[in-house]
Amino acid sequence: LHYKNVCQARVDTEPGKQFVDLEMHGADSVAVKLSDVVASHKATVLLFWATWAREADEVVPELVEGCRPFKDKGLALYTVSLDPYMDRLGHKSDEYGLFGNCFGEGTEKGDKAAGLYGFEGLPRMVLIGRDGTILARGRSYQDISEELLKLFRQ
């Protein structure tokens, strides 16, 4: 049953489909809906990660570096950490240079959110256009970079 749900979530969130909305709470307890971020930016990268994920130290800094040139051109980051260790989360967020909306909802809520997209490993990301269409998804910046570059060349 679990694998069937994961597969269905992947089909439901493949490129060309509409994104699944999330609402996360920041350190100040203010809720931020993904739909509000998507509507107010040219594109949004939704990133699921955790400090304990082996690939995070490689993938997240590369993603931030690739996205940084588009930060002032309308690109938003909406990052959800599945990390239960909030002190480590803040340190790693700073170390990676994450910008935008960074949330640490913990393992249970973060895992449920990642499950809506059919993700089972970390880090994973989705590139979403302003109209809510999923443009690309994958495990690394390379998986979304072509669509991101196309979008911002226009």
Side-chain angles (χ1 to χ4, degrees):
L1 184 62
H2 169 74
Y3 189 66
K4 181 180 177 186
N5 292 339
V6 168
C7 290
Q8 187 60 53
R10 287 180 185 159
V11 168
D12 291 345
T13 59
E14 65 188 13
K17 303 274 178 91
Q18 288 292 299
F19 77 103
V20 177
D21 203 7
L22 306 172
E23 182 176 85
M24 297 289 159
H25 294 83
D28 56 3
S29 298
V30 174
V32 178
K33 292 180 85 171
L34 177 58
S35 55
D36 292 338
V37 174
V38 168
S40 61
H41 291 84
K42 186 170 184 174
T44 302
V45 174
L46 169 61
L47 169 68
F48 294 97
W49 69 289
T51 61
W52 47 261
R54 281 185 294 179
E55 296 177 15
D57 282 339
E58 180 182 324
V59 172
V60 177
E62 182 181 34
L63 172 69
V64 171
E65 186 65 29
C67 290
R68 192 173 310 287
F70 308 111
K71 177 182 173 185
D72 295 329
K73 296 178 181 179
L75 180 67
L77 284 181
Y78 189 102
T79 66
V80 179
S81 171
L82 278 65
D83 214 304
Y85 313 109
M86 298 312 288
D87 56 331
R88 289 178 66 192
L89 173 62
H91 172 72
K92 279 294 189 182
S93 293
D94 292 343
E95 180 183 320
Y96 294 156
L98 284 171
F99 58 89
N101 301 99
C102 302
F103 304 101
E105 292 278 13
T107 306
E108 186 177 331
K109 188 167 183 181
D111 192 43
K112 284 181 183 177
L116 295 172
Y117 284 84
F119 291 143
E120 289 191 294
L122 296 175
R124 296 293 190 270
M125 60 198 73
V126 179
L127 175 64
I128 304 167
R130 177 177 281 158
D131 66 354
T133 302
I134 295 174
L135 304 173
R137 56 181 282 144
R139 302 172 76 147
S140 70
Y141 175 71
Q142 285 77 29
D143 295 330
I144 68 166
S145 63
E146 184 177 331
E147 290 299 320
L148 184 64
L149 293 171
K150 255 195 267 184
L151 186 64
F152 282 95
R153 252 187 250 148
Q154 301 173 357

